[in-house]
Amino acid sequence: MARMSRAEVFDPGEVAVGHVFSRTVRRCFLMGDDPVSGKNFDHRKRWIEEYLQQFAAYFGIDLLCYSLLSNHFHLILRSRPDVVATWSDEEVARRWMMLCPNHRKADGSPMEPTQPEINSIAGCPVKREEIRRRLSDLSWWMRLLCQRVAMRANREDEEHGRFFQDRYKATRLTDEASVLACAAYVDLNPIRAAMCERIEDSDFTSAQRRIQAEHEEVHETPPDETPPDEATRHQTPPDEATGERSEPIAKLRHRRDSFLSPVSIDELLDPIGPCCSDTPERCSDKGFLAMSLADYLELLDWTARQAAPGKRGKTPASVPPLLQRLGLDQASWCELVSDFGKLFCTVAGSPDSVDSMRSHGTHRRYHLRRRARELFAVTD
Protein backbone atom coordinates (compact mmCIF):
# COMPACT_ATOMS: atom_id res chain seq x y z
CA MET A 1 0.00 0.00 0.00
CA ALA A 2 1.44 3.38 -1.03
CA ARG A 3 2.40 5.75 1.76
CA MET A 4 0.11 8.77 2.14
CA SER A 5 1.60 12.18 1.49
CA ARG A 6 2.65 13.97 4.64
CA ALA A 7 0.14 16.76 4.04
CA GLU A 8 -2.64 14.18 4.38
CA VAL A 9 -1.46 13.30 7.89
CA PHE A 10 -0.06 16.52 9.36
CA ASP A 11 -1.66 19.95 9.09
CA PRO A 12 0.42 22.83 10.53
CA GLY A 13 -2.87 24.46 11.53
CA GLU A 14 -3.76 21.80 14.13
CA VAL A 15 -2.04 20.50 17.24
CA ALA A 16 -0.48 17.12 16.44
CA VAL A 17 2.18 14.86 17.93
CA GLY A 18 4.59 13.17 15.54
CA HIS A 19 7.50 10.75 15.75
CA VAL A 20 10.11 11.79 13.18
CA PHE A 21 13.17 9.83 12.18
CA SER A 22 16.11 10.40 9.83
CA ARG A 23 19.05 8.16 8.90
CA THR A 24 22.41 8.99 7.35
CA VAL A 25 23.22 7.83 3.82
CA ARG A 26 24.00 4.15 3.35
CA ARG A 27 23.60 3.75 7.13
CA CYS A 28 27.15 5.03 7.57
CA PHE A 29 28.30 5.86 11.10
CA LEU A 30 28.60 9.58 10.36
CA MET A 31 27.57 10.62 13.88
CA GLY A 32 29.46 8.08 16.03
CA ASP A 33 32.35 5.59 15.89
CA ASP A 34 33.14 4.80 12.26
CA PRO A 35 34.49 1.22 12.15
CA VAL A 36 36.09 1.82 8.72
CA SER A 37 38.05 5.02 9.33
CA GLY A 38 38.35 4.59 13.08
CA LYS A 39 37.18 8.18 13.60
CA ASN A 40 34.67 9.31 16.19
CA PHE A 41 31.97 11.81 15.20
CA ASP A 42 30.12 12.21 18.48
CA HIS A 43 30.69 15.96 18.27
CA ARG A 44 28.06 16.01 15.53
CA LYS A 45 25.50 14.79 18.05
CA ARG A 46 26.37 17.87 20.10
CA TRP A 47 25.65 19.98 17.02
CA ILE A 48 22.21 18.43 16.79
CA GLU A 49 21.53 19.02 20.49
CA GLU A 50 22.51 22.66 20.05
CA TYR A 51 20.14 23.00 17.09
CA LEU A 52 17.36 21.28 19.06
CA GLN A 53 17.76 23.81 21.86
CA GLN A 54 17.70 26.70 19.40
CA PHE A 55 14.67 25.37 17.53
CA ALA A 56 12.78 24.65 20.76
CA ALA A 57 13.31 28.29 21.75
CA TYR A 58 12.01 29.84 18.51
CA PHE A 59 9.64 27.39 16.78
CA GLY A 60 6.02 26.99 17.84
CA ILE A 61 6.74 23.31 18.41
CA ASP A 62 7.27 21.34 21.63
CA LEU A 63 10.20 18.92 21.78
CA LEU A 64 8.94 15.96 23.81
CA CYS A 65 11.70 13.34 23.42
CA TYR A 66 14.84 12.70 21.39
CA SER A 67 17.68 10.22 20.96
CA LEU A 68 20.75 10.63 18.77
CA LEU A 69 22.63 7.54 17.61
CA SER A 70 25.58 6.84 15.33
CA ASN A 71 23.68 6.79 12.04
CA HIS A 72 20.18 8.09 12.81
CA PHE A 73 18.13 10.15 15.23
CA HIS A 74 14.60 10.12 16.62
CA LEU A 75 12.46 13.06 17.76
CA ILE A 76 8.94 13.34 19.13
CA LEU A 77 7.52 16.76 18.29
CA ARG A 78 4.19 18.43 19.02
CA SER A 79 3.07 21.25 16.73
CA ARG A 80 1.57 24.22 18.57
CA PRO A 81 -0.28 26.55 16.17
CA ASP A 82 -2.39 27.60 19.19
CA VAL A 83 0.73 29.06 20.81
CA VAL A 84 1.88 30.71 17.57
CA ALA A 85 -1.54 32.36 17.28
CA THR A 86 -0.82 34.27 20.52
CA TRP A 87 2.36 35.84 19.10
CA SER A 88 2.29 39.33 17.62
CA ASP A 89 3.32 39.93 14.01
CA GLU A 90 6.62 41.39 15.23
CA GLU A 91 7.27 38.35 17.43
CA VAL A 92 6.61 36.01 14.51
CA ALA A 93 9.08 37.96 12.38
CA ARG A 94 11.71 38.11 15.13
CA ARG A 95 11.56 34.37 15.80
CA TRP A 96 11.92 33.54 12.12
CA MET A 97 14.85 35.91 11.77
CA MET A 98 16.55 34.18 14.70
CA LEU A 99 16.07 30.83 12.96
CA CYS A 100 17.13 32.11 9.53
CA PRO A 101 19.25 35.20 10.33
CA ASN A 102 20.64 37.63 7.81
CA HIS A 103 23.68 38.21 10.02
CA ARG A 104 25.59 36.06 12.49
CA LYS A 105 28.06 36.75 15.27
CA ALA A 106 31.67 35.61 15.17
CA ASP A 107 30.76 32.37 16.99
CA GLY A 108 28.09 31.56 14.41
CA SER A 109 25.10 32.39 16.63
CA PRO A 110 22.35 34.56 15.09
CA MET A 111 22.35 38.31 15.62
CA GLU A 112 19.16 39.98 16.82
CA PRO A 113 17.28 41.25 13.75
CA THR A 114 17.02 44.97 13.15
CA GLN A 115 13.65 46.72 13.11
CA PRO A 116 13.70 47.12 9.29
CA GLU A 117 14.33 43.37 8.97
CA ILE A 118 11.42 42.63 11.29
CA ASN A 119 9.21 45.06 9.38
CA SER A 120 10.04 43.36 6.07
CA ILE A 121 8.09 40.32 7.34
CA ALA A 122 5.61 41.87 9.77
CA GLY A 123 4.54 44.48 7.22
CA CYS A 124 3.76 41.99 4.44
CA PRO A 125 0.50 40.07 5.12
CA VAL A 126 1.23 37.23 2.68
CA LYS A 127 4.79 36.66 3.84
CA ARG A 128 3.85 37.10 7.50
CA GLU A 129 1.11 34.46 7.40
CA GLU A 130 3.36 32.04 5.55
CA ILE A 131 6.07 32.47 8.22
CA ARG A 132 3.48 32.08 10.99
CA ARG A 133 2.41 28.78 9.44
CA ARG A 134 6.00 27.58 9.07
CA LEU A 135 6.74 28.14 12.76
CA SER A 136 4.35 25.33 13.74
CA ASP A 137 5.20 23.05 10.82
CA LEU A 138 7.16 19.87 11.67
CA SER A 139 8.46 19.74 8.09
CA TRP A 140 10.19 23.09 8.44
CA TRP A 141 11.78 22.03 11.73
CA MET A 142 13.19 18.90 10.07
CA ARG A 143 14.11 20.72 6.87
CA LEU A 144 16.26 23.28 8.68
CA LEU A 145 17.75 20.72 11.08
CA CYS A 146 18.82 18.18 8.46
CA GLN A 147 20.02 20.88 6.08
CA ARG A 148 22.27 22.53 8.65
CA VAL A 149 23.75 19.31 9.98
CA ALA A 150 24.42 18.06 6.43
CA MET A 151 26.08 21.30 5.29
CA ARG A 152 28.23 21.49 8.41
CA ALA A 153 29.33 17.84 8.18
CA ASN A 154 30.09 18.07 4.46
CA ARG A 155 32.14 21.19 5.06
CA GLU A 156 34.07 19.41 7.82
CA ASP A 157 34.69 16.34 5.63
CA GLU A 158 35.31 18.41 2.48
CA GLU A 159 32.63 16.36 0.77
CA HIS A 160 29.53 17.06 -1.32
CA GLY A 161 26.12 15.45 -1.72
CA ARG A 162 23.59 13.85 0.61
CA PHE A 163 24.22 13.32 4.30
CA PHE A 164 20.75 11.97 5.20
CA GLN A 165 18.74 9.42 3.24
CA ASP A 166 15.86 10.96 1.26
CA ARG A 167 13.32 12.81 3.41
CA TYR A 168 12.66 12.11 7.05
CA LYS A 169 10.05 9.54 8.10
CA ALA A 170 7.08 10.67 10.20
CA THR A 171 4.38 8.83 12.15
CA ARG A 172 1.46 10.63 13.77
CA LEU A 173 0.73 9.62 17.38
CA THR A 174 -2.99 9.74 17.99
CA ASP A 175 -3.55 8.84 21.64
CA GLU A 176 -1.89 8.52 25.06
CA ALA A 177 -0.90 4.88 24.59
CA SER A 178 0.92 5.57 21.32
CA VAL A 179 2.69 8.63 22.76
CA LEU A 180 3.85 6.70 25.82
CA ALA A 181 5.00 3.67 23.81
CA CYS A 182 6.83 5.87 21.29
CA ALA A 183 8.49 7.92 24.06
CA ALA A 184 9.82 4.72 25.62
CA TYR A 185 10.91 3.47 22.19
CA VAL A 186 12.85 6.68 21.52
CA ASP A 187 14.45 7.02 24.96
CA LEU A 188 15.50 3.34 25.05
CA ASN A 189 17.12 3.34 21.61
CA PRO A 190 20.74 3.36 22.90
CA ILE A 191 19.96 0.38 25.15
CA ARG A 192 18.34 -1.49 22.25
CA ALA A 193 21.47 -0.80 20.19
CA ALA A 194 23.67 -2.21 22.99
CA MET A 195 25.42 1.15 23.39
CA CYS A 196 24.76 1.18 27.13
CA GLU A 197 22.96 -0.78 29.83
CA ARG A 198 21.43 1.91 32.03
CA ILE A 199 19.11 4.78 31.18
CA GLU A 200 21.32 7.33 32.95
CA ASP A 201 24.21 6.25 30.69
CA SER A 202 22.19 6.75 27.51
CA ASP A 203 24.13 9.66 26.05
CA PHE A 204 22.36 12.17 23.82
CA THR A 205 18.83 11.24 24.90
CA SER A 206 16.05 13.24 26.50
CA ALA A 207 15.82 10.63 29.29
CA GLN A 208 19.43 11.27 30.29
CA ARG A 209 18.84 15.03 30.19
CA ARG A 210 15.85 14.72 32.51
CA ILE A 211 17.74 12.47 34.93
CA GLN A 212 20.70 14.87 35.03
CA ALA A 213 18.37 17.82 35.65
CA GLU A 214 16.65 16.04 38.54
CA HIS A 215 19.99 14.98 40.02
CA GLU A 216 21.44 18.49 39.86
CA GLU A 217 18.31 20.00 41.39
CA VAL A 218 18.56 17.64 44.36
CA HIS A 219 22.30 18.02 44.93
CA GLU A 220 23.19 21.55 43.82
CA THR A 221 22.56 23.25 47.22
CA PRO A 222 24.36 22.20 50.46
CA PRO A 223 22.16 22.14 53.59
CA ASP A 224 23.73 25.32 55.01
CA GLU A 225 23.16 27.42 51.90
CA THR A 226 20.10 29.22 50.57
CA PRO A 227 17.82 27.05 48.37
CA PRO A 228 18.37 27.67 44.64
CA ASP A 229 15.00 29.30 43.98
CA GLU A 230 15.45 31.61 46.97
CA ALA A 231 18.95 32.60 45.85
CA THR A 232 17.87 33.35 42.28
CA ARG A 233 14.45 34.83 42.98
CA HIS A 234 15.62 38.44 42.92
CA GLN A 235 17.62 37.94 39.74
CA THR A 236 14.35 37.64 37.81
CA PRO A 237 12.71 40.91 36.72
CA PRO A 238 9.21 41.50 38.14
CA ASP A 239 6.14 40.93 36.02
CA GLU A 240 4.97 44.23 34.48
CA ALA A 241 1.31 43.58 35.29
CA THR A 242 1.54 42.26 38.86
CA GLY A 243 4.92 43.47 40.04
CA GLU A 244 5.66 39.97 41.35
CA ARG A 245 8.75 37.98 40.56
CA SER A 246 8.41 34.62 38.87
CA GLU A 247 10.15 31.78 40.70
CA PRO A 248 9.61 29.12 37.99
CA ILE A 249 11.76 31.10 35.52
CA ALA A 250 14.79 31.04 37.77
CA LYS A 251 14.25 27.38 38.48
CA LEU A 252 13.79 26.26 34.88
CA ARG A 253 16.70 28.20 33.43
CA HIS A 254 19.11 26.18 35.55
CA ARG A 255 17.80 22.80 34.41
CA ARG A 256 19.53 20.79 31.72
CA ASP A 257 16.13 19.80 30.33
CA SER A 258 14.55 23.24 30.25
CA PHE A 259 14.25 23.16 26.44
CA LEU A 260 12.21 19.93 26.63
CA SER A 261 8.48 19.80 27.23
CA PRO A 262 7.62 18.75 30.80
CA VAL A 263 6.60 15.11 31.09
CA SER A 264 3.63 15.39 33.41
CA ILE A 265 0.24 16.77 32.43
CA ASP A 266 -2.73 16.96 34.78
CA GLU A 267 -5.84 17.17 32.62
CA LEU A 268 -7.99 18.21 35.60
CA LEU A 269 -5.78 20.85 37.24
CA ASP A 270 -3.47 22.18 34.52
CA PRO A 271 -4.61 25.38 32.76
CA ILE A 272 -6.57 25.01 29.54
CA GLY A 273 -5.31 26.63 26.35
CA PRO A 274 -1.90 27.29 24.78
CA CYS A 275 -0.04 27.36 28.14
CA CYS A 276 2.78 29.49 26.72
CA SER A 277 6.11 28.98 28.44
CA ASP A 278 7.32 31.34 31.15
CA THR A 279 10.89 30.84 29.88
CA PRO A 280 12.45 31.72 26.51
CA GLU A 281 13.79 28.20 26.16
CA ARG A 282 10.71 26.34 24.92
CA CYS A 283 7.38 26.92 23.24
CA SER A 284 5.02 25.91 26.05
CA ASP A 285 4.93 24.45 29.56
CA LYS A 286 2.32 21.81 28.73
CA GLY A 287 3.23 18.20 29.53
CA PHE A 288 2.39 15.17 27.43
CA LEU A 289 1.87 12.17 29.75
CA ALA A 290 -0.61 11.59 32.58
CA MET A 291 2.18 10.52 34.92
CA SER A 292 5.04 12.07 36.84
CA LEU A 293 8.63 12.15 35.59
CA ALA A 294 9.60 9.70 38.34
CA ASP A 295 6.91 7.25 37.21
CA TYR A 296 7.97 7.62 33.58
CA LEU A 297 11.63 6.93 34.38
CA GLU A 298 10.62 3.96 36.50
CA LEU A 299 8.57 2.60 33.60
CA LEU A 300 11.54 3.08 31.26
CA ASP A 301 13.79 1.16 33.63
CA TRP A 302 11.23 -1.64 33.97
CA THR A 303 10.73 -1.81 30.21
CA ALA A 304 14.47 -1.90 29.51
CA ARG A 305 14.84 -4.90 31.80
CA GLN A 306 11.89 -6.72 30.21
CA ALA A 307 12.98 -6.06 26.62
CA ALA A 308 16.63 -6.94 27.28
CA PRO A 309 16.84 -10.28 29.13
CA GLY A 310 19.91 -10.76 31.26
CA LYS A 311 20.15 -7.18 32.49
CA ARG A 312 20.72 -6.77 36.25
CA GLY A 313 17.78 -6.15 38.53
CA LYS A 314 14.51 -7.86 39.31
CA THR A 315 11.25 -7.58 37.46
CA PRO A 316 8.56 -5.92 39.57
CA ALA A 317 5.97 -8.34 40.92
CA SER A 318 3.08 -6.45 39.33
CA VAL A 319 2.62 -4.49 36.13
CA PRO A 320 2.52 -0.70 36.62
CA PRO A 321 -1.15 0.39 36.92
CA LEU A 322 -0.75 2.76 33.97
CA LEU A 323 -0.45 -0.17 31.56
CA GLN A 324 -3.72 -1.57 32.81
CA ARG A 325 -5.43 1.79 32.31
CA LEU A 326 -4.18 1.84 28.71
CA GLY A 327 -5.49 -1.68 28.12
CA LEU A 328 -2.07 -3.31 27.73
CA ASP A 329 -0.45 -6.31 29.38
CA GLN A 330 3.28 -6.94 29.95
CA ALA A 331 3.97 -8.80 26.73
CA SER A 332 1.97 -6.38 24.57
CA TRP A 333 3.66 -3.34 26.09
CA CYS A 334 7.18 -4.74 25.59
CA GLU A 335 6.45 -5.61 21.96
CA LEU A 336 4.93 -2.18 21.29
CA VAL A 337 8.07 -0.46 22.58
CA SER A 338 10.69 -2.77 21.06
CA ASP A 339 9.01 -2.98 17.62
CA PHE A 340 7.35 0.46 17.47
CA GLY A 341 9.07 1.40 14.20
CA LYS A 342 7.88 -1.81 12.52
CA LEU A 343 4.34 -1.79 13.90
CA PHE A 344 3.41 1.76 12.89
CA CYS A 345 4.00 3.66 9.68
CA THR A 346 1.79 6.67 8.93
CA VAL A 347 -0.13 6.95 12.20
CA ALA A 348 0.13 5.21 15.56
CA GLY A 349 -2.53 4.57 18.17
CA SER A 350 -5.26 2.21 19.29
CA PRO A 351 -7.56 0.82 16.56
CA ASP A 352 -10.49 2.94 17.81
CA SER A 353 -8.38 6.10 17.72
CA VAL A 354 -6.89 5.46 14.27
CA ASP A 355 -10.14 4.23 12.68
CA SER A 356 -11.96 7.39 13.79
CA MET A 357 -9.54 9.63 11.86
CA ARG A 358 -9.43 10.56 8.18
CA SER A 359 -6.70 12.12 6.07
CA HIS A 360 -6.89 15.88 5.51
CA GLY A 361 -7.10 16.09 1.73
CA THR A 362 -8.80 12.95 0.45
CA HIS A 363 -10.48 11.85 3.72
CA ARG A 364 -9.08 8.34 3.38
CA ARG A 365 -8.86 5.88 6.24
CA TYR A 366 -5.45 5.32 7.82
CA HIS A 367 -3.95 1.86 7.62
CA LEU A 368 -3.06 0.06 10.87
CA ARG A 369 -1.06 -3.13 10.61
CA ARG A 370 -2.67 -6.36 11.74
CA ARG A 371 -0.13 -7.07 14.48
CA ALA A 372 -0.69 -3.62 16.00
CA ARG A 373 -4.43 -4.31 16.13
CA GLU A 374 -3.79 -7.69 17.74
CA LEU A 375 -1.62 -6.16 20.49
CA PHE A 376 -4.29 -3.65 21.45
CA ALA A 377 -6.97 -6.36 21.33
CA VAL A 378 -5.21 -8.67 23.81
CA THR A 379 -6.93 -7.20 26.86
CA ASP A 380 -10.21 -6.12 25.25
Side-chain angles (χ1 to χ4, degrees):
M1 182 177 179
R3 180 189 291 266
M4 285 187 182
S5 67
R6 202 160 291 146
E8 292 276 352
V9 184
F10 293 95
D11 180 358
E14 68 178 10
V15 177
V17 181
H19 165 233
V20 295
F21 160 91
S22 191
R23 187 183 293 275
T24 58
V25 290
R26 297 177 298 281
R27 302 196 175 190
C28 296
F29 295 93
L30 298 176
M31 298 187 294
D33 290 312
D34 187 347
V36 177
S37 66
K39 295 181 179 179
N40 178 273
F41 297 102
D42 276 350
H43 62 282
R44 291 175 177 171
K45 298 178 185 177
R46 296 188 185 92
W47 297 351
I48 297 178
E49 280 193 325
E50 291 170 0
Y51 287 130
L52 292 180
Q53 293 180 49
Q54 180 190 12
F55 287 12
Y58 296 115
F59 267 102
I61 295 173
D62 292 326
L63 176 59
L64 309 188
C65 299
Y66 73 89
S67 62
L68 314 177
L69 286 87
S70 297
N71 60 8
H72 66 283
F73 68 84
H74 297 267
L75 308 177
I76 301 182
L77 304 173
R78 178 173 58 194
S79 59
R80 298 304 305 275
D82 54 339
V83 174
V84 177
T86 68
W87 297 341
S88 66
D89 295 341
E90 289 72 19
E91 180 66 9
V92 167
R94 187 191 70 83
R95 286 174 176 268
W96 185 254
M97 295 302 296
M98 292 300 288
L99 288 166
C100 302
N102 290 336
H103 307 286
R104 295 182 181 272
K105 301 176 183 177
D107 61 0
S109 60
M111 293 182 64
E112 282 286 340
T114 63
Q115 192 59 45
E117 289 174 334
I118 291 177
N119 292 341
S120 67
I121 295 177
C124 177
V126 175
K127 189 174 184 179
R128 181 183 66 226
E129 292 310 308
E130 173 61 24
I131 296 300
R132 188 181 289 276
R133 186 176 179 84
R134 289 180 184 179
L135 286 174
S136 61
D137 191 338
L138 305 189
S139 290
W140 272 95
W141 173 299
M142 290 298 292
R143 174 178 179 174
L144 294 181
L145 176 62
C146 292
Q147 180 187 67
R148 289 177 186 181
V149 173
M151 291 176 64
R152 195 169 173 180
N154 283 344
R155 187 163 56 246
E156 180 182 67
D157 294 338
E158 297 182 348
E159 293 286 351
H160 300 280
R162 289 183 178 274
F163 185 82
F164 291 104
Q165 293 179 359
D166 301 321
R167 293 191 66 193
Y168 70 94
K169 305 297 188 297
T171 301
R172 182 164 178 173
L173 310 178
T174 63
D175 54 22
E176 184 183 355
S178 62
V179 172
L180 178 58
C182 189
Y185 168 74
V186 169
D187 276 329
L188 292 179
N189 247 258
I191 293 178
R192 298 286 182 271
M195 298 172 67
C196 61
E197 293 184 344
R198 301 185 303 173
I199 299 170
E200 58 267 35
D201 298 330
S202 302
D203 294 334
F204 305 104
T205 64
S206 50
Q208 186 190 57
R209 280 274 185 169
R210 297 186 195 277
I211 291 172
Q212 290 173 341
E214 287 296 302
H215 183 269
E216 290 177 354
E217 186 169 297
V218 171
H219 294 89
E220 71 177 346
T221 304
D224 59 341
E225 291 187 9
T226 308
D229 38 340
E230 288 292 330
T232 57
R233 180 183 301 176
H234 299 295
Q235 298 174 8
T236 306
D239 182 85
E240 294 181 359
T242 65
E244 297 178 355
R245 300 179 185 274
S246 175
E247 295 179 33
I249 293 180
K251 185 177 180 181
L252 284 169
R253 284 180 177 172
H254 290 82
R255 291 180 60 98
R256 287 176 178 263
D257 62 349
S258 58
F259 66 100
L260 297 170
S261 173
V263 168
S264 181
I265 183 172
D266 189 326
E267 296 180 352
L268 294 178
L269 300 179
D270 284 353
I272 299 174
C275 196
C276 300
S277 179
D278 289 329
T279 80
E281 297 173 84
R282 63 190 180 204
C283 172
S284 79
D285 291 334
K286 189 178 289 294
F288 61 98
L289 293 175
M291 61 196 308
S292 68
L293 173 59
D295 288 340
Y296 173 64
L297 294 176
E298 183 178 353
L299 181 61
L300 282 185
D301 181 69
W302 179 87
T303 305
R305 297 173 195 271
Q306 299 304 309
K311 292 290 188 290
R312 57 186 180 278
K314 183 179 179 181
T315 301
S318 60
V319 181
L322 180 68
L323 297 185
Q324 298 173 2
R325 294 204 305 271
L326 296 177
L328 301 169
D329 61 9
Q330 285 188 14
S332 299
W333 168 255
C334 291
E335 186 173 345
L336 274 176
V337 173
S338 60
D339 295 338
F340 191 92
K342 298 178 182 178
L343 291 169
F344 302 105
C345 182
T346 305
V347 297
S350 65
D352 288 344
S353 174
V354 173
D355 291 344
S356 66
M357 298 175 61
R358 297 292 184 274
S359 65
H360 293 293
T362 59
H363 303 289
R364 293 160 57 193
R365 290 178 179 271
Y366 293 114
H367 173 67
L368 192 62
R369 290 174 177 167
R370 179 181 299 176
R371 184 53 186 161
R373 290 183 180 275
E374 292 172 351
L375 290 175
F376 278 100
V378 168
T379 55
D380 284 354

